[in-house]
Amino acid sequence: MPSPMFLLRAILAVLLVMTGAAALAQTPSVATLSQQLGRAETELRAVDGQLDERVDADDQKTLRNRTLAAQQVAADVTEQLRQQQTLIDARIAGLGPVTAGVSEPVEISTQRTVLARQRSSIDSAIKRGGLANVEAEQLIEELDRSRAQQFNEKITAKVASPLTPAYWRAIVQALPRDLRRTELFLAQGTRQIRAQWHGSLPWPMVLGILLGLVLLFPVRVRARQFGQRLLVEGAPGHRVRRSANAMWRVFVGTLAPLLAAVALVQGLRWSGLLPTRWSSVLDAFVMAIGFSAYTAAVCGALLMRNGASWRVAPLDDDTASALRPLSWVLAGLSFASILLSAITTAIGTSQPALVATQTLNASLRLVLIAVFLIVLGRLRAKRAGTEPIEYVKTSAGIGLGTLLAWALVAFAFVALLLGYIALSLFIAWVVCWATILGTTLYLLMAAVDDVSTSMFVRDSPLGVTVTRTLGVRPSMVDQFGVLLSAVLRIALVLLALGLLATPFSGGNGIGTMFGRLGVLAQGVEFGGVSISPANILRGMIVLFVGLALVRGFMGWLETRYLPITDLDGSGRNSVSLVARYVGIALAFIWALASLGIGVERVALLLSALSVGIGFGLQAITQNFVSGLILLAERPIKIGDLVRVGTDEGDVKRISVRSTEIELADHSTLIVPNSELITKSVLNKTMANPLGRIQIQFSVPLDSDAQAVRTMVQEAFAGESAVLSDPAPAVFIDGLVNGRITFNCFGHVAHPRAAYSARSAVLMTLLQRFRVEGIDIGTIPQRIELVAANRPLVEPEA
């Protein structure tokens, strides 16, 4: 007879079976998942088979997408199988372990066998999924490596230099064949048009042309005017109107020409007059119109030549007028290069002709970049020559960018002359693409900042609603707006960097390209760290980028975020100092990590130097720690009036090493922070910002004390610097040597005002006592001359 424990296990097993059945009913069966996994494995084997042959870039992109899809299917199936395996493990655990020498009920034994068989099947499928995932990763890595290799071979390919006769001889020899193919391309298209022409007017084509002209001219102009008028009447704030107008101009300036080109091409298609071989060229025409229109629109929105008050960028009219024609040239070059590439592909021109078109394209782009740099340099020189020297601001970033652009242009020209046509074109294209992308990024960042800081501000309707509804401080609304702007702009920068890296081949982008272009000198291994010129250069670049990021973050923190917080000047200084040193430390750690030096190695180095630091740098370390204590506890803040020893002055700056105190004679006293921590310091404004004045004097005993008290109170009341709360107080301090001693107190708003207020009160009292005839002279003293033979103390009688 089964024991109660067996019965309990049987009941539990039945419950687990019912629960597991309900859960499994919501997920696909193991057989279905195995079929999906089998199809993914078949797809991966097919991709692997196609990679045995050389494939071009487009096919590699397709194969990579197929591999990623198969990998995703394998990962999803594996995850579902693991969930089912977890359920089965729970059901097996519910059955309990097998007890030796005790026979189980038939139901439990059968259930245990079934669950073991299911678990074995699921485990086998999970292993297959893991192998499929590994195989997919290997295929993706191979595809990325192959694409990067082809890209590197393409841009580093060398042909005959344009300065050599071989270059022109190849073009002349291929010219008859290229002309024949061009004539064939045109003839085939013309014959197809004649064959489809029915003699009547092709109304779809006419309507497409008319619609394109309407969209290109009146609709575009009216839409721009409508948007500007709407923004003037309804948008809140000048900054939001300005940014929204720029974005609207970009939208209208791009969409209207693009729709016009689509209408024209679609009209040709609907009329049946579009030759088959011309279809790809007209599709490229639409794309070229869209891209060139966007280029012209985004540059026009930034320059705003005819609307200085709507200009987002801080540019003058001369700069906008000088750069606007260059933006039109850039748009025209973009249109021509895209369309010419499509035409040469459709015609099937020879390699010398392709090289010639690339040479022309690269030359025109490089000339445009050089002209742009020359015009920009002349404009800056003109401003520097006409404006006073104190108003001329030279940005290090603009100067460095200009120098880098000139270096790229010179390198591209040399590469062009040496026969590296593809590399020269690639550099010119990247510079132009970076210009368009940078212009777009600037407009988007300005728009995001304007909208965020205009919506989330304490005085805006949204800010007032949030303050009243959530009960937060108004400064919190301002801080949220600035932080939201920063987060969105960082996201835009990351997106722009990703788009900037797209020309550097697929796969892993720019990292793949530079990782495969070549390896510099291997260097030496020391302590597990590779020291080579490449690593040192990488570390310097990383450190430079890190410090630049810290500098940008500190500029944002000090000029944008901290001013809108509730912190006083000292608190903002503390936060700024701590953030600066933490940022610099992180930049150095990042640079060390790029060299392969981990934090643990840095810790070992610091521990080895700890003895030397403890003895040789003891004073510096003590001041540094004291500075951190001052910044954290804040017993002394910027603006406090303190006395250190015999010197008294205002605290102007607190750093991690020393504190600067401005004395009354405008000199600066630099005090080590350890002195402020270990010694006594009088802080006159720490607990209470009020200052106190004290006046002591004496009058003869026969004077009217009440009248004197009234005079002092009136003198205090007549001085505007003396506060009425706390009220001034006049006390009789004592009766000494026939005189009444008065001790008077008054309070001023700040200790710095005590000296001048005390002087003014004394002047009033002196004048009043002189008028009333009250003697406030010094205590009279009697001087007696004593004879030399006279005893000092007379004997008592």
Side-chain angles (χ1 to χ4, degrees), residues 3 6 98-104:
S3 63
F6 280 122
V98 179
T99 305
V102 179
S103 61
E104 289 184 329

Side-chain angles (χ1 to χ4, degrees), residues 10 101 113 123 193 260 348 384 414 493 530 532 655 703 761 788:
T113 303
D123 186 67
I193 291 175
V414 173
V493 170
S530 177
S532 63
S655 64
S703 301
V761 172

Side-chain angles (χ1 to χ4, degrees), residues 323 326 365-381 398-410 413 431 435:
L323 296 182
L326 299 180
R365 287 181 181 272
L366 291 176
V367 169
L368 175 62
I369 297 170
V371 171
F372 171 79
L373 294 176
I374 292 173
V375 171
L376 190 62
R378 288 181 176 177
L379 289 172
R380 294 177 62 186
I398 295 179
L400 183 62
T402 304
L403 181 62
L404 178 61
W406 273 117
L408 289 175
V409 169
F413 266 120
V431 173
T435 303

Side-chain angles (χ1 to χ4, degrees), residues 16-87:
L16 288 174
V17 169
M18 295 174 61
T19 306
L24 289 175
Q26 299 175 0
T27 58
S29 63
V30 178
T32 303
L33 294 176
S34 297
Q35 292 177 0
Q36 296 178 6
L37 185 58
R39 287 194 291 269
E41 292 173 339
T42 303
E43 181 72 6
L44 291 176
R45 285 193 294 270
V47 172
D48 190 13
Q50 294 186 22
L51 287 179
D52 293 339
E53 301 177 358
R54 184 176 179 85
V55 293
D56 56 13
D58 294 335
D59 292 338
Q60 286 180 354
K61 184 177 180 180
T62 303
L63 293 177
R64 192 176 191 277
N65 293 333
R66 289 171 56 185
T67 305
L68 287 174
Q71 185 184 28
Q72 186 63 41
V73 170
D76 294 341
V77 169
T78 304
E79 181 62 28
Q80 295 181 30
L81 289 172
R82 285 199 178 97
Q83 294 176 3
Q84 295 191 17
Q85 187 182 41
T86 302
L87 265 176

Side-chain angles (χ1 to χ4, degrees), residues 164-299:
T164 61
Y167 175 85
W168 301 102
R169 188 184 307 113
I171 295 177
V172 172
Q173 291 176 355
L175 183 60
R177 182 177 55 184
D178 291 329
L179 291 176
R180 186 174 63 254
R181 290 182 178 180
T182 303
E183 293 175 357
L184 179 62
F185 176 78
L186 296 175
Q188 289 178 349
T190 306
R191 285 198 302 268
Q192 189 172 352
I193 291 175
R194 290 199 194 99
Q196 295 175 352
W197 183 273
H198 302 294
S200 59
L201 188 64
W203 288 107
M205 182 185 69
V206 175
L207 291 177
I209 295 175
L210 293 177
L211 180 60
L213 293 176
V214 170
L215 289 171
L216 193 58
F217 295 105
V219 171
R220 181 174 60 87
V221 175
R222 297 294 180 139
R224 182 182 299 175
Q225 294 174 352
F226 170 76
Q228 189 169 349
R229 184 172 62 253
L230 185 64
L231 291 172
V232 170
E233 296 174 355
H238 176 68
R239 292 175 56 196
V240 176
R241 288 199 297 266
R242 183 187 59 186
S243 300
N245 178 64
M247 302 308 298
W248 178 251
R249 288 174 67 94
V250 174
F251 178 76
V252 173
T254 304
L255 189 62
L258 181 61
L259 292 179
V262 171
L264 175 62
V265 174
Q266 202 62 36
L268 292 174
R269 282 197 172 96
W270 285 342
S271 62
L273 298 179
L274 181 62
T276 304
R277 289 194 62 184
W278 291 10
S279 181
S280 61
V281 176
L282 290 180
D283 291 339
F285 169 79
V286 173
M287 184 174 64
I289 286 290
F291 186 77
S292 59
Y294 175 78
T295 302
V298 74
C299 294

Side-chain angles (χ1 to χ4, degrees), residues 12 34 143 299 336 354 392 405 410 474 510 527 622 683 685 703 741 767:
L12 184 59
S34 297
L143 284 168
C299 294
L354 290 176
V392 177
I510 189 170
Q622 185 180 7
N683 191 339
T685 57
S703 301
T741 304
Q767 184 179 4

Side-chain angles (χ1 to χ4, degrees), residues 9 12-13 16 89-99 104 108 112:
R9 290 180 179 176
L12 184 59
L16 288 174
D89 288 341
R91 292 164 60 187
I92 293 175
L95 295 177
V98 179
T99 305
E104 289 184 329
I108 295 179
R112 193 187 300 276

Side-chain angles (χ1 to χ4, degrees), residues 154-155 157 159 162 167 337 340-341 344 351-366 416 419-426 428:
K154 178 180 177 181
I155 66 170
V159 297
Y167 175 85
S337 62
L340 187 61
S341 176
T344 55
Q351 183 65 24
L354 290 176
V355 172
T357 56
Q358 290 178 355
T359 304
L360 179 62
N361 191 2
S363 302
L364 293 177
R365 287 181 181 272
L366 291 176
L416 183 68
Y420 294 96
I421 308 298
L423 179 60
S424 176
L425 177 60
F426 175 75

